[in-house]
Amino acid sequence: MHFIEENLKQVEQRIREACARSGRRREDVRLIVVSKTKPVSMIEEVIRLGIRDFGENKPQELRDKYDVLPKDLRWHMIGNLQRNKIKYVVGRAVMIHSIGSEELALAVDRECEKKGMVMPCLVEVNMAHEESKGGIAPEEAPAFVRSISALKHLKIEGLMTVAPYVENPGENRGYFRALRNLAVDIGSQNIDNISMRHLSMGMTGDFEIAIEEGATMIRIGSGILGERDYSV
């Protein structure tokens, strides 16, 4: 799996260059390796190379990998989360990136209450109003954040978006910039229990643009682990 090491080196170099261009520190951007559909053996190789943050789209897959891999890893739930699967994620993930409805927020809050814990979460915002994607419409996000701020077992720490798939990554700059501005607007309202310290945005095709626009977390799968096999 030599290609993983090479890919990781290249991605790391590109992260550093994007940080330098935008006057940011490398340590202010967290690389989350998206390991969905990838086997444990591949994840072990990435761990050997020093990575500790992994993102999964499916709750059962996150559960299964968490249960067999070292416990010092940080698992991020980045995909669509159904309410009946929350139990697999709470207690295992360090953060849920995809809070996109009040029903889901309430259900996560209830599960966390049962387990006596507080879950760091990000609100997913559908910046491009794509029907195929989840998340809150940007114009509704400030009211939504305020509406869930009273939930005692959720800690909202920022916003997440999945930008459109585009050939030219520069086309997504406007969405990333708008998400950052939205976070600034919400942060300026000083809502109790709400912080806007994280922006989870940017994937294999556009992470450099996302870093330039303020991403604190980037989610890279195929750029490090190779193309995914969707037949499994």
Side-chain angles (χ1 to χ4, degrees):
M1 290 193 241
H2 182 61
F3 74 93
I4 293 178
E5 188 165 5
E6 284 307 306
N7 286 349
L8 187 57
K9 277 184 189 161
Q10 287 177 16
V11 165
E12 181 57 41
Q13 181 63 26
R14 290 166 63 192
I15 292 171
R16 289 182 182 281
E17 288 170 2
C19 286
R21 281 196 300 276
S22 46
R24 302 183 63 202
R25 300 181 309 164
R26 169 63 187 92
E27 56 266 34
D28 292 339
V29 180
R30 180 171 294 187
L31 168 60
I32 298 170
V33 173
V34 179
S35 49
K36 64 180 181 182
T37 79
K38 295 298 186 184
V40 164
S41 58
M42 211 174 242
I43 297 170
E44 286 171 336
E45 173 67 8
V46 182
I47 294 168
R48 188 182 69 74
L49 298 168
I51 297 293
R52 285 291 174 272
D53 288 272
F54 292 90
E56 285 289 337
N57 277 51
K58 294 192 171 157
Q60 296 101 314
E61 207 175 330
L62 186 152
R63 174 199 63 191
D64 294 347
K65 288 173 179 173
Y66 173 93
D67 289 351
V68 298
L69 283 160
K71 292 299 174 273
D72 66 336
L73 303 183
R74 293 183 291 266
W75 292 96
H76 299 256
M77 180 65 208
I78 59 176
N80 179 34
L81 183 55
Q82 295 164 318
R83 280 173 283 171
N84 61 340
K85 308 277 175 64
I86 293 167
K87 59 181 179 286
Y88 301 141
V89 173
V90 171
R92 291 184 175 91
V94 295
M95 179 176 275
I96 296 172
H97 289 230
S98 46
I99 298 292
S101 72
E102 201 148 341
E103 297 78 23
L104 178 59
L106 288 164
V108 171
D109 185 68
R110 281 194 298 273
E111 186 65 27
C112 290
E113 185 173 17
K114 270 191 245 172
K115 292 184 176 165
M117 58 177 293
V118 175
M119 174 59 83
C121 295
L122 304 179
V123 169
E124 182 174 357
V125 186
N126 189 341
M127 294 306 294
H129 297 89
E130 290 183 280
E131 284 185 22
S132 61
K133 293 199 179 122
I136 300 292
E139 58 275 15
E140 294 167 8
F144 174 72
V145 169
R146 191 174 286 279
S147 75
I148 62 172
S149 64
L151 297 176
K152 291 185 172 57
H153 302 275
L154 257 60
K155 187 166 183 1
I156 302 298
E157 296 196 344
L159 306 176
M160 180 270 246
T161 198
V162 180
Y165 178 77
V166 289
E167 289 294 326
N168 170 17
E171 291 173 31
N172 281 335
R173 189 181 294 277
Y175 296 124
F176 295 145
R177 186 170 293 171
L179 190 76
R180 185 187 65 197
N181 290 338
L182 185 59
V184 169
D185 290 347
I186 293 170
S188 69
Q189 295 177 23
N190 295 319
I191 306 167
D192 281 352
N193 195 32
I194 301 292
S195 118
M196 284 287 129
R197 66 198 190 96
H198 284 304
L199 288 175
S200 172
M201 59 188 194
M203 296 172 15
T204 293
D206 55 20
F207 69 87
E208 289 146 303
I209 304 285
I211 290 170
E212 290 170 10
E213 294 302 330
T216 65
M217 295 177 170
I218 54 174
R219 312 179 303 272
I220 300 183
S222 57
I224 293 170
L225 300 177
E227 291 305 318
R228 279 189 282 281
D229 178 1
Y230 286 102
S231 66
V232 292

